[in-house]
């Protein structure tokens, strides 16, 4: 009975979490629904069905979203940097995180119960590890996935941004405005750097929607989270405010970005010998020692055996 106590406790914990989720996620009836006219299913429009489907997570907003506005804004910005721009991105992320955590916790519990039923000897630490391990993995795996996507997108934007600046400079010097240049560059970068092309396309759409250019550029810097883009946005806003030439500012900043790219490449190249040293020591020195010292050690062992020395 004492061996089953961890399973009983963890099983009760898992069932309690599931019950709490069902209670919190239970849809609550709206009192105004009684006053609305009833619509027959046959006459229900497709637009109404699509609206209900898109707002499916709206009723769970209090459970699947952070409680404070600052945390909600930070989570939304973090998911936007990973490429998730949906209005329900934060709720969907927390729903996936909660669902995977509880689901894998229950799977771990069922696995331990199956092992116990098969007569496998399991200690309490093993039982707790088999149950809590998958649950923790399911809870933290979505966060690690989003963090990896954020790093990958930042690296892609950082690599493709100097080329984008060169094309912007060419378009501006050819007589196009900055807005037209952004639209043209976003189309040109669709194949070589789709992540940056998507961001520039979003900038073009926001400008066409009527937002002022400083706000659009600040949103661009906030979405990407790249230091080079933030510096570029600062230069463009200052150039617009003080009335200086955008082409001259782009020329200077593009040259600076090219120099930075060369320095990053040189830095990566200089790290290669240091990284190769450890591998060289691990895979070269031991075989070399075996080749050089091995025959001497073997001869000493044979001589000691002849002398009767163990």
């Amino acid at each position: 009975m004492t061996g089953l106590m961890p399973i009983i406790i963890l099983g009760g914990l898992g069932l309690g979490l599931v019950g709490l989720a069902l209670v919190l996620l239970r849809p609550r009836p709206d009192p105004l629904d009684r006053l609305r006219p009833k619509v027959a299913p046959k006459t229900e429009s497709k637009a109404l069905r699509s609206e209900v489907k898109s707002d499916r997570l709206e009723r769970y907003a209090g459970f699947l979203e952070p409680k404070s506005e600052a945390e909600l804004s930070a989570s939304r910005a973090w998911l936007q940097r990973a490429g998730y721009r949906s209005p329900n991105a934060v709720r969907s992320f927390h729903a996936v995180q909660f669902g995977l955590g509880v689901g894998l916790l229950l799977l771990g519990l069922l696995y331990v119960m199956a092992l116990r039923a098969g007569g496998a000897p399991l200690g309490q630490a093993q039982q707790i590890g088999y149950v809590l391990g998958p649950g923790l993995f399911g809870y933290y795996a979505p966060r690690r996935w989003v963090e990896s996507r954020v790093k990958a997108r930042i690296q892609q934007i950082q690599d493709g941004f100097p080329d984008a600046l060169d094309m912007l400079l060419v378009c501006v010097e050819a007589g196009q405005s900055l807005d037209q240049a952004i639209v043209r560059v976003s189309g040109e970068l669709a194949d070589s750097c789709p992540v940056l092309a998507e961001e520039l396309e979003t900038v073009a759409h926001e400008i066409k929607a009527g937002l002022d250019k400083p706000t659009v550029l600040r949103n661009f810097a906030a979405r990407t989270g790249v230091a080079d883009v933030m510096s570029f946005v600062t230069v463009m806003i200052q150039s617009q405010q003080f009335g200086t030439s955008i082409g001259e500012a782009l020329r200077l900043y593009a040259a600076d970005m090219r120099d930075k790219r060369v320095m990053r490449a040189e830095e990566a190249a200089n790290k290669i010998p240091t990284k190769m040293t450890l591998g060289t020591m691990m895979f070269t020195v031991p075989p070399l020692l075996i080749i050089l010292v091995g025959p001497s050690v073997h001869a000493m062992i044979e001589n000691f055996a002849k002398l009767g020395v163990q």
Side-chain angles (χ1 to χ4, degrees):
M1 186 65 182
T2 57
L4 295 176
M5 286 302 295
I7 301 179
I8 296 174
I9 294 174
L10 293 175
L13 179 61
L15 294 177
L17 290 175
V18 174
L20 179 62
L22 294 176
V23 171
L24 293 176
L25 298 179
R26 183 182 59 187
R28 299 177 181 178
D30 191 355
L32 296 178
D33 290 341
R34 300 178 180 178
L35 302 178
R36 298 191 182 103
K38 295 183 179 179
V39 181
K42 295 182 180 180
T43 60
E44 187 179 12
S45 62
K46 294 182 180 180
L48 182 59
R49 286 197 294 267
S50 62
E51 181 180 358
V52 171
K53 185 177 179 180
S54 62
D55 295 339
R56 186 173 296 174
L57 294 177
E58 185 70 29
R59 66 188 68 178
Y60 311 136
F63 178 73
L64 296 178
E65 284 186 353
K67 302 303 179 182
S68 63
E69 187 67 24
E71 293 180 358
L72 179 60
S73 300
S75 299
R76 186 179 290 113
W78 179 56
L79 291 173
Q80 284 181 353
R81 292 177 182 176
Y84 301 109
R85 309 287 171 77
S86 173
N88 295 326
V90 179
R91 301 171 192 169
S92 301
F93 171 75
H94 287 286
V96 171
Q97 193 178 31
F98 180 80
L100 280 179
V102 175
L104 292 181
L105 181 70
L106 294 179
L107 285 178
L109 179 62
L110 293 177
Y111 178 70
V112 171
M113 294 177 66
L115 290 179
R116 294 286 299 181
L122 294 176
Q124 294 185 359
Q126 289 180 329
Q127 297 177 23
I128 295 174
Y130 288 157
V131 175
L132 294 183
L136 293 176
F137 174 79
Y139 183 79
Y140 288 105
R143 181 170 294 276
R144 298 293 299 175
W145 168 261
V146 175
E147 288 177 354
S148 64
R149 280 185 58 90
V150 170
K151 292 180 180 178
R153 286 176 66 90
I154 288 177
Q155 186 64 39
Q156 292 180 15
I157 293 174
Q158 191 174 9
D159 294 339
F161 193 60
D163 296 332
L165 285 179
D166 291 336
M167 285 188 281
L168 279 176
L169 177 60
V170 171
C171 293
V172 170
E173 289 183 343
Q176 292 184 342
S177 64
L178 183 61
D179 305 345
Q180 296 172 345
I182 290 175
V183 175
R184 180 63 181 271
V185 172
S186 65
E188 294 292 335
L189 291 176
D191 295 330
S192 60
C193 187
V195 175
L196 184 57
E198 179 185 355
E199 296 293 342
L200 292 177
E201 186 178 1
T202 304
V203 171
H205 289 327
E206 289 181 350
I207 292 176
K208 290 179 181 179
L211 293 177
D212 57 324
K213 196 173 298 181
T215 303
V216 172
L217 293 176
R218 291 190 183 97
N219 292 338
F220 173 46
R223 284 196 308 269
T224 57
V226 181
D228 296 339
V229 177
M230 296 178 183
S231 301
F232 165 75
V233 167
T234 302
V235 170
M236 289 295 100
I237 293 176
Q238 291 178 353
S239 177
Q240 183 180 5
Q241 289 177 349
F242 297 113
T244 58
S245 174
I246 295 179
E248 186 65 24
L250 278 174
R251 185 181 298 107
L252 295 175
Y253 198 76
D256 188 21
M257 287 297 101
R258 286 194 296 269
D259 294 339
K260 283 187 177 181
R261 181 166 60 180
V262 172
M263 287 189 292
R264 283 196 294 265
E266 292 177 351
E267 181 182 359
N270 292 331
K271 290 180 180 178
I272 293 177
T274 305
K275 294 179 179 179
M276 292 180 62
T277 302
L278 181 60
T280 303
M281 295 295 293
M282 290 178 60
F283 297 105
T284 304
V285 175
L288 184 62
L289 290 177
I290 293 173
I291 293 173
L292 296 177
V293 184
S296 301
V297 173
H298 181 67
M300 292 173 60
I301 293 175
E302 288 184 348
N303 292 330
F304 289 153
K306 292 178 181 179
L307 295 174
V309 179
Q310 300 295 331

